[in-house]
Amino acid sequence: MIAKARRRKGWPQRDLAAMTGKSESWVSQVERDVIPVNSLETLRQISEVLDIPLPELLAAAPLPAQPPVSVRRASASASVVRNLGPEEGDDPVRRRELLAAAAVVFASPLTSATPAEASTLAPLEELLLYGSAAVPEDGDVSPAGVAAAVKESRAHFRAARYDTLARALPGQIARARALQPAETAATAVADLYNITARLCIKLGEDGLVAITADRALNSARTGGDALTIAEAHRMVSSAWRRQGHLARATDIAVRAAQDVRAGRGTAEPARLAASTSLLATAAYTAAKMGDRQTAHALIAEAADTAKAGRAAADVRTDAGIQQVQLHQLSVHYLLGDAGQAIDLAKTIDPTTLPTAERQGRFFIDVARCFDQWGKPEQCYRALLAAERAAPQEIRRGAVKGLAGGLLHHDRALPGVRAFAGRTGVPLN
């Protein structure tokens, strides 16, 4: 219960430790039920800090420690083998690094979403839950018009214009669904749902990620386009990952990568690009699970596949060697290898990254690595660079967690309080 509440706050273990006057090791052991919490006063502190009702904490039964999940991959053609046991291991180092990246946000008292974000997503949620969205008056309900709507939505995402995208998507989806016959519109509808899922991931709306990923996959199968189906599988994998089902999420992405690569009827460079994106996503998930061997094998295969494609990045995912490098950066971070991550980051020229979204993500990943390394000044500089590249990227939960931690260094970091406020961190 403590671990889940802390994740939803977007805090690493060290933040909870600081707020309760305990060590990071103590928090790690408590969350894994290695040691009990015998002090009622300490439980009261945890209750207040994490907004958990004290009676619920007192009533929570202790859970036994569980062995790590083993996810192995013998070769490029082998499927990931799932363990039916718990999805998260109990190694304290692995948990610390995984949880540092977690910023799970729900529409509940634990949410870190701001009122502005909630109102921005309201029309989209109405569409997803109740189907209430009208075709824009100037909307062109023709194959060309719907194709233009998909292209425009993708451009908004690539430019990190998330507010604009959230406002436009309900009408764009309604326009695509109005196109007849329905089979013709299905691929466009799926493309828009895939973009919607990516937007919901950015804004931490995990419940909506699951809904949009499911609708994307159903529509993609109706349309029958192999690349759109592959991207929908990637969104489904992300939805499973964000709900904590890491082994299942890895397997979904790997199998989809194998399927799209072996398919026919689509140009090979495009199939390789889609496979690259899926393999990189699988590597990220394996790293999040702490499976070092599988993560490195998958990211290496993603790099080989990207090189074999010898083509420009796929427009659906921007998949290419640069995307692989960004995922490799994340893999190093999740496995606790901040030094290797920074060494890799020094070889990447952010100005060559194809989109503002990718540039913002690059600097945020660099910031997380510097935070893991215990270098607050460099972390802050990287976050400011992310804001310059893509201002709306800094409202992500991971950035809020980093900004909240940097407030402990406010005297040494000029402007950090104002920056934290821009990310959505409440300032007293």
Side-chain angles (χ1 to χ4, degrees), residues 11 32 48 63 65-66 94 125 146 167 378:
W11 295 345
R32 292 180 292 118
E48 292 173 2
L63 298 174
Q66 299 287 351
R94 178 170 67 190
E125 187 172 351
V146 170
R167 288 191 295 269
Q378 290 89 334

Side-chain angles (χ1 to χ4, degrees), residues 50-185:
L50 293 179
D51 298 322
I52 305 173
L54 184 58
E56 291 184 23
L57 264 184
L58 293 172
L63 298 174
Q66 299 287 351
V69 172
S70 175
V71 180
R72 298 181 179 87
R73 193 167 179 278
S75 67
S77 62
S79 293
V80 171
V81 178
R82 294 193 302 278
N83 184 315
L84 296 180
E87 297 288 19
E88 295 282 355
D90 289 289
D91 176 70
V93 175
R94 178 170 67 190
R95 287 178 63 85
R96 181 166 63 251
E97 309 314 343
L98 296 184
L99 296 175
V104 183
V105 184
F106 298 98
S108 72
L110 292 174
T111 183
S112 59
T114 65
E117 288 169 336
S119 62
T120 299
L121 286 173
L124 186 56
E125 187 172 351
E126 286 288 317
L127 168 71
L128 294 171
L129 298 181
Y130 308 111
S132 53
V135 177
E137 292 183 2
D138 58 347
D140 178 6
V141 184
S142 69
V146 170
V150 173
K151 183 177 180 180
E152 180 183 89
S153 296
R154 191 171 283 128
H156 286 319
F157 183 87
R158 288 164 61 99
R161 295 189 291 263
Y162 303 136
D163 288 347
T164 302
L165 178 60
R167 288 191 295 269
L169 273 171
Q172 306 290 44
I173 293 173
R175 184 196 304 191
R177 292 197 307 200
L179 183 63
Q180 295 298 323
E183 291 76 10
T184 303

Side-chain angles (χ1 to χ4, degrees), residues 206-347:
D206 290 352
L208 297 183
V209 173
I211 294 172
T212 52
D214 177 69
R215 294 192 183 182
L217 185 57
N218 286 331
S219 297
R221 283 172 172 162
T222 299
D225 178 74
L227 301 181
T228 304
I229 292 171
E231 175 64 0
H233 272 118
R234 194 169 76 92
M235 293 301 99
V236 170
S237 173
S238 296
W240 280 95
R241 182 185 71 232
R242 295 178 73 84
Q243 294 179 35
H245 300 286
L246 304 181
R248 180 61 175 149
T250 305
D251 190 54
I252 290 169
V254 170
R255 291 188 180 193
Q258 294 166 350
D259 289 345
V260 72
R261 186 166 184 169
R264 295 290 182 269
T266 304
E268 184 181 32
R271 287 189 284 109
L272 291 175
S275 181
T276 296
S277 185
L278 283 157
L279 290 169
T281 296
Y284 177 90
T285 306
K288 198 168 180 66
M289 189 161 43
D291 190 332
R292 182 177 296 271
Q293 181 179 356
T294 300
H296 284 310
L298 288 170
I299 201 66
E301 186 178 354
D304 291 343
T305 304
K307 292 172 185 175
R310 297 178 182 176
D314 177 65
V315 294
R316 290 171 176 79
T317 62
D318 297 313
I321 193 62
Q322 289 177 319
Q323 188 208 31
V324 173
Q325 288 180 317
L326 293 185
H327 276 79
Q328 188 174 14
L329 191 67
S330 298
V331 165
H332 285 318
Y333 164 76
L334 290 172
L335 294 175
D337 303 326
Q340 290 185 48
I342 295 302
D343 287 343
L344 173 62
K346 290 177 180 177
T347 70

